[in-house]
Amino acid sequence: MRQRDALGLPRSRRLSFSGQLAELVKDDLTEDGVVLSIGGAEQSHVELGDPDYLLHDYLFRMGTVLQTCARERLGGAPAAGASTAATGAPRVLHLGAGALTLPRFIEHHWPAVEQTVVDIEPELVEFVLEHLPMRRSPRNLVADAAAVLGPGGALEGVSFDVVVVDLFNSAAAPEHLRSPEFHRAVLEQVAPGGLLLVNLGDEPPMDFVRAQVVSLLEAAATLIPDASGTPDASGTPDASIAPGTEQAARCAMLSAPSDVLEARAEGNLSFAARRGAALEQTELNALWAAGPHPGDVLSAEELLQWARP
């Protein structure tokens, strides 16, 4: 008997902030899958009994980034010089809850990690955990993602080993959740040497995602001490590129299916950035090899060229 057969699906709950209906239904594409939909739009997939299974392309890519670039840190062995987030158990912050697919994946691989989930819908996390429980429920904060990080917010000044942003992933996102100020605030929550993961979505010609990548890189550049401009052929810093952006691009990567990166199809793209430390070529090679294929991983100059065609 499949685990989901005991859940009495479908289950639903009206969400008070948006007024939309959250529903948990069977997903017959997989052996024991459950889908969370909000307002009729699919949000998340959970494979019961197998938290390691990440159906959606962008989540698979995020999971690979965690296993490749944060395995030791989340396992309790942070790099030398790591600050407050690493003084006790590793900490992960999720802005946007969904059905807690990535928190389940992290719990499966690194059970000692302390996880915090922020969502603006008061009923969502409780509804999901009521029917799809975790061994260790994450801390649940009901708040706007920008406000919770800002002055007076519950997470003001708190740093994390990994911060995951999985909110509105298209140009329809509220301005304050796609602004340079929000990007800097999010990056400031990442402890030195920690990782930021962002789910982005767009359609050709990918103008929204390109602009978001530039904004994220420029925000990261402001946190680099003594950041300098990128010199042109004459050796003069290029005024069109914010100081430190090239350094920030070496600490970042963008991964997606080839047709999405080539602006031939709509889809999701996974952005990652390590605070204050470049991604090694061996890490980038491993991320590419893990797939899914056809796909690509862009970093450093390739990433800048993609973001500024």
Side-chain angles (χ1 to χ4, degrees), residues 209-245:
V209 170
R210 295 183 204 272
Q212 289 290 281
V213 169
V214 170
S215 178
L216 284 160
L217 292 177
E218 290 182 347
T222 66
L223 302 178
I224 298 176
D226 302 320
S228 59
T230 303
D232 59 21
S234 68
T236 302
D238 186 347
S240 68
I241 301 177
T245 303

Side-chain angles (χ1 to χ4, degrees), residues 87-145:
T87 56
R91 297 204 292 252
V92 176
L93 171 63
H94 303 264
L95 299 179
L100 305 172
T101 306
L102 199 59
R104 297 172 197 276
F105 175 88
I106 291 172
E107 179 186 59
H108 175 66
H109 286 279
W110 302 283
V113 169
E114 295 179 354
Q115 301 193 77
T116 299
V117 175
V118 176
D119 202 278
I120 202 166
E121 295 286 2
E123 302 84 4
L124 181 59
V125 172
E126 178 186 353
F127 167 64
V128 168
L129 289 174
E130 177 185 352
H131 301 291
L132 306 176
M134 295 173 61
R135 292 193 302 272
R136 182 183 179 189
S137 296
R139 179 189 182 192
N140 176 30
L141 297 178
V142 178
D144 174 85

Side-chain angles (χ1 to χ4, degrees), residues 273-296:
R274 178 181 284 148
R275 183 171 175 183
L279 297 175
E280 300 291 339
Q281 189 59 50
T282 53
E283 293 175 315
L284 296 170
N285 292 344
L287 294 174
W288 180 87
H293 294 293
D296 209 348

Side-chain angles (χ1 to χ4, degrees), residues 176-235:
H176 75 289
L177 296 179
R178 53 189 173 97
S179 67
E181 294 78 15
F182 177 64
H183 292 154
R184 181 182 171 98
V186 167
L187 282 156
E188 287 177 336
Q189 304 295 129
V190 181
L195 280 175
L196 170 67
L197 294 173
V198 184
N199 173 30
L200 297 167
D202 205 0
E203 59 186 13
M206 299 293 159
D207 289 341
F208 168 72
V209 170
R210 295 183 204 272
Q212 289 290 281
V213 169
V214 170
S215 178
L216 284 160
L217 292 177
E218 290 182 347
T222 66
L223 302 178
I224 298 176
D226 302 320
S228 59
T230 303
D232 59 21
S234 68

